[in-house]
Structures are given as C-alpha cells and as structure tokens.
Amino acid sequence: MYCLGEYVLTENIGKIDWKKQITVPNLISLIRLLAIPFLGYEIYQSKGFSTLSVILFAGIWATDFLDGYVARKFNQVSDIGKLLDPMVDKVLHTVTAVMMTVVGRVPVWVMVTLVIKEILMVISAMYLLSKKIIVSSRWYGKLATVLVALAFGIVFLLSPDYAWLSGYIFIVPMVMLYFAMFAYLYRIRLVKKHNLLHEAEINSSGFRDISSIDIKNW
C-alpha cells in the first residue's frame, strides 16, 4: 500500500539513536497507551455510561496536546515520538470504537470503517519506519483525529434515548478520516511517480520525511 518502488525499498540511511528517543513526551505517550485498556474495560462494564469512562477518554485524548507542547517547548521532538504519538491516537480510537459498538453505543459501520482505516495506516507506518521513511502528520490528518475524538466525546454524553444519533454524528469525521488517508496516499504516489524521495529532508536519525517535499508543482 505504501510501497514507493525499488528506490525506497533499498533505502537504509541512518540508525535510530535510541537514547535520544527516551524523552518526557514519549513517556507521556506510553502512559496514554497503557491507559487505553482500562478505558476499554470501563466502557464495557458501564455500557459507556459512566463518568470514569468520560474522564479516561478525555484524559487520554487531552494529554496528546501535553506531550506535543512539552516536546516543542523543551526541544524534545523525537523521531519515535512523531510515530508513537499518532499511533496512540489510532489505538485509542480503535479500542473505543470496538467497545462502544459492543455495548451498543455506536453502529457497526462506524467501527468497521474506522478499524479498517486505522489498521491499514498502522501497518503502513510500521512498514515505512522499517525502511527509514516517515510521513509526518499534516493538517488534514490532525483535523480528522480531532473530529473523531469530538464525535466520541459527544456520544459518551448522549443519553440512551438519543443513542441512535451516533451514526449521524460520525458521518463527517469518517469522511475526513478517509480524505486524510487518500491525501497521504496521493502524496506518496507523487513521490514515487516523479522520483522525489531525494528531496525529502533527512532528520537527525537518518529518516527521510516525505511530508517535507513540496508537491504543489506536481
């Protein structure tokens, strides 16, 4: 899915400096990740109608901004952090969608649509990472993440009498999710088609970030 051709597949520049990856923002991301199973259990046992599930979801989501702020404020932006942070968001959305579907709070199509998209993106991101290629998040990816989180937040607060509205609430976030995915795919396709990988910035760990390539003229 994210294959950029033989040129990319043979790329092997740089090595990860793991000491530089041990940062406060990355530790925050790990804590967020470890909290997700507790959220899933709380949704299941409370049927998605508990103050604790709302607090857990809001806390895991809100700390996403915290680790980003700390990373920029104290110059602790790391290559692993650029991948770990959005991956935690994907796990959060996937687990929440599955459990909210299990307890009947969101329709099955929301879960299926979201889970398929997130699994494809995670697998692709890990594959690219193994090839020393990264695709940093762009505005449309961030907007999609925010819209999905807001949709879940609204559904958490819906009373059982209005649970049927959840399917409508997720229409715009799901459209934005797939727009973001295809936008990333389009960027990668252009990089491959016009052999632009050499224009990508190489970060301190030797990764090429194809999000840094200006594709406006292509």
Side-chain angles (χ1 to χ4, degrees):
M1 176 178 161
Y2 274 88
C3 178
L4 304 185
E6 183 179 356
Y7 178 64
V8 176
L9 294 178
T10 56
E11 280 292 304
N12 192 28
I13 54 174
K15 295 182 179 180
I16 298 176
D17 186 345
W18 291 103
K19 291 183 179 180
K20 292 183 179 180
Q21 311 308 315
I22 304 175
T23 64
V24 171
N26 288 348
L27 291 177
I28 294 174
S29 293
L30 285 175
I31 292 172
R32 294 175 64 222
L33 184 63
L34 293 173
I36 293 174
F38 295 97
L39 170 63
Y41 174 76
E42 179 59 25
I43 292 174
Y44 179 74
Q45 68 88 27
S46 69
K47 306 301 181 184
F49 291 104
S50 73
T51 302
L52 180 57
S53 60
V54 175
I55 292 174
L56 282 172
F57 181 83
I60 296 170
W61 183 60
T63 47
D64 182 25
F65 297 96
L66 176 62
D67 58 28
Y69 171 78
V70 172
R72 293 185 294 272
K73 180 70 174 181
F74 298 98
N75 194 28
Q76 293 187 353
V77 176
S78 66
D79 304 316
I80 293 300
K82 291 178 181 179
L83 294 171
L84 179 62
D85 187 53
M87 188 172 70
V88 173
D89 291 331
K90 296 179 188 304
V91 175
L92 172 63
H93 293 164
T94 300
V95 170
T96 304
V98 170
M99 298 312 299
M100 292 289 272
T101 301
V102 168
V103 300
R105 296 299 306 276
V106 299
V108 174
W109 75 262
V110 171
M111 179 195 71
V112 173
T113 303
L114 189 147
V115 169
I116 289 176
K117 183 267 180 184
E118 299 294 22
I119 289 176
L120 289 174
M121 292 296 285
V122 169
I123 292 174
S124 301
M126 296 306 294
Y127 174 78
L128 286 176
L129 176 62
S130 71
K131 303 302 177 184
K132 302 298 185 294
I133 306 293
I134 60 174
V135 186
S136 297
S137 180
R138 299 180 68 82
W139 69 266
Y140 37 80
K142 295 176 181 178
L143 177 59
T145 299
V146 170
L147 289 177
V148 171
L150 288 176
F152 276 123
I154 294 171
V155 171
F156 271 119
L157 299 175
L158 283 179
S159 70
D161 294 336
Y162 295 97
W164 59 273
L165 288 173
S166 62
Y168 297 97
I169 292 171
F170 274 97
I171 291 176
V172 172
M174 292 299 106
V175 170
M176 192 63 204
L177 268 183
Y178 275 82
F179 170 81
M181 183 178 73
F182 285 113
Y184 285 122
L185 288 174
Y186 178 68
R187 169 175 288 273
I188 293 170
R189 178 179 177 275
L190 286 180
V191 170
K192 176 184 177 181
K193 180 179 179 180
H194 299 286
N195 196 25
L196 300 175
L197 187 63
H198 64 281
E199 297 183 12
E201 295 179 359
I202 303 176
N203 60 29
S204 60
S205 294
F207 286 84
R208 292 187 185 274
D209 185 355
I210 64 174
S211 291
S212 64
I213 299 174
D214 185 1
I215 62 172
K216 293 180 180 178
N217 296 325
W218 301 98

